[in-house]
Amino acid sequence: MEPNLNLQEINVIKEKAIEMAFEFGPVLLKAIILLVIGRQVIKFLTRLLSNALEKYEIDPSLSTFFKSFLSAVLWVVLLISVATTLGMQMASFVAILGAAGLAVGLALQGSLSNFAGGVLILVFKPFRVGDTIETQGQLGSVESIDILYTKIRIFDNRVVTVPNGALANNMIINLSQKPTRRVEMKVGVAYGTNLKKTRQVILDTLKKDERIHEDPAPVVYFTNFGDSSLDLTIRCWVDAADLWPVYWDNMEAINEAFEANDITIPFPQRDVHHFYPEGKK
């Protein structure tokens, strides 16, 4: 009798399984279809928003942020819809989501700080995508501003990912915000050099460079009596993009002009005085 009883139990379990399959199978299939279609809809809406932002020439910083935010919101809506389709009560799901959100919020305080920092960056715009900035000991070009992080490409082509919270709460030097920049060069000439002649030689050299602005005009100041030289500071204004090329080119041109006009750039030197005791050579 025992084998027959086991067979009966197996048949009951099989019938229950078939019954549950017919009962929950369509619901599960519907949820899977909803998840697949919803995923494609999210991609479509994100792409649609991207095209709209590009069409109306919205700031790339805002564009990246809006796309990331829209994608996150749509995924939350999709997951709620899938859970509801599977038979989970909305009130229960919201309660679970709220409790989970509180736990996640406590665990991810840093991420929430980064999110708030990203919002502040986009609202107050201390920098934008494409700007060259200096922050957190890094100098480079801003590649993207996402929900939580900002990516900066430094000049050796490495990409540094900086949390938005750190950026929003620390000093940022924006090198691209203004259209013009001041170039500052320092040179030293030997003691006894005619400073008026030297100043004129430098100004004549700078006039040959069309990238240097005439207003404000270039200036040359005598700034210090150095240990071995008379120190001069040269200042001129250029377009922001020309700053370093103008600096490098004119430092070389000034050196050549000094050589042509017999103006000496001294080496560091010291005078040593040796005193002998009386009666000794």
Side-chain angles (χ1 to χ4, degrees):
M1 292 295 293
E2 190 173 347
N4 292 334
L5 184 61
N6 290 339
L7 185 59
Q8 289 177 359
E9 290 177 353
I10 292 173
N11 289 334
V12 170
I13 294 173
K14 186 186 299 183
E15 290 175 1
K16 287 289 186 181
I18 294 172
E19 183 180 344
M20 291 179 65
F22 277 106
E23 183 179 353
F24 294 106
V27 176
L28 182 60
L29 182 61
K30 182 180 178 181
I32 294 173
I33 293 174
L34 178 61
L35 182 63
V36 173
I37 294 176
R39 182 181 177 186
Q40 297 302 319
V41 170
I42 290 174
K43 288 183 178 180
F44 172 76
L45 291 177
T46 305
R47 187 163 55 248
L48 192 66
L49 176 64
S50 177
N51 293 336
L53 293 172
E54 185 176 345
K55 178 180 179 182
Y56 290 103
E57 298 181 350
I58 302 298
D59 189 329
S61 308
L62 288 171
S63 177
T64 304
F65 186 87
F66 283 151
K67 286 186 290 184
S68 301
F69 185 75
L70 176 66
S71 178
V73 170
L74 290 177
W75 269 107
V76 171
V77 173
L78 177 60
L79 293 177
I80 292 175
S81 301
V82 171
T84 305
T85 302
L86 291 172
M88 184 176 291
Q89 296 295 326
M90 180 60 70
S92 302
F93 187 77
V94 171
I96 294 172
L97 192 64
L102 178 61
V104 171
L106 293 173
L108 300 177
Q109 293 182 26
S111 296
L112 294 176
S113 173
N114 291 337
F115 177 80
V119 173
L120 291 174
I121 290 171
L122 292 172
V123 170
F124 293 104
K125 294 182 174 62
F127 58 86
R128 303 184 181 191
V129 171
D131 284 357
T132 299
I133 65 171
E134 183 177 354
T135 184
Q136 303 294 301
Q138 303 293 338
L139 173 64
S141 176
V142 179
E143 283 207 330
S144 67
I145 304 172
D146 298 324
I147 291 179
L148 301 178
Y149 300 97
T150 292
K151 292 182 179 179
I152 301 173
R153 181 173 58 82
I154 57 180
F155 294 117
D156 61 0
N157 215 30
R158 291 180 294 168
V159 176
V160 179
T161 301
V162 183
N164 287 336
L167 285 176
N169 292 293
N170 286 282
M171 183 181 70
I172 301 170
I173 300 175
N174 192 328
L175 305 179
S176 302
Q177 200 166 56
K178 299 299 182 180
T180 59
R181 295 276 306 280
R182 189 184 72 186
V183 180
E184 184 168 293
M185 296 171 276
K186 295 181 182 294
V187 298
V189 295
Y191 276 92
T193 302
N194 187 324
L195 291 183
K196 290 184 179 180
K197 175 186 175 183
T198 302
R199 180 179 288 110
Q200 192 58 50
V201 167
I202 294 172
L203 292 176
D204 290 343
T205 302
L206 297 180
K207 285 180 182 179
K208 298 175 183 178
D209 193 334
E210 296 180 353
R211 296 168 295 182
I212 296 176
H213 296 181
E214 295 181 1
D215 186 21
V219 293
V220 180
Y221 295 115
F222 171 48
T223 53
N224 186 46
F225 290 96
D227 291 339
S228 305
S229 64
L230 302 173
D231 298 332
L232 303 173
T233 298
I234 306 160
R235 292 174 178 171
C236 60
W237 288 84
V238 299
D239 292 342
D242 293 332
L243 185 140
W244 287 112
V246 167
Y247 178 89
W248 292 321
D249 292 346
N250 282 279
M251 284 295 285
E252 185 173 346
I254 289 171
N255 179 61
E256 293 174 355
F258 281 1
E259 291 177 354
N261 288 273
D262 296 325
I263 297 173
T264 305
I265 300 175
F267 294 101
Q269 52 186 303
R270 293 285 185 273
D271 289 337
V272 179
H273 300 272
H274 192 169
F275 296 93
Y276 292 91
E278 186 176 353
K280 291 188 177 181
K281 295 183 180 180

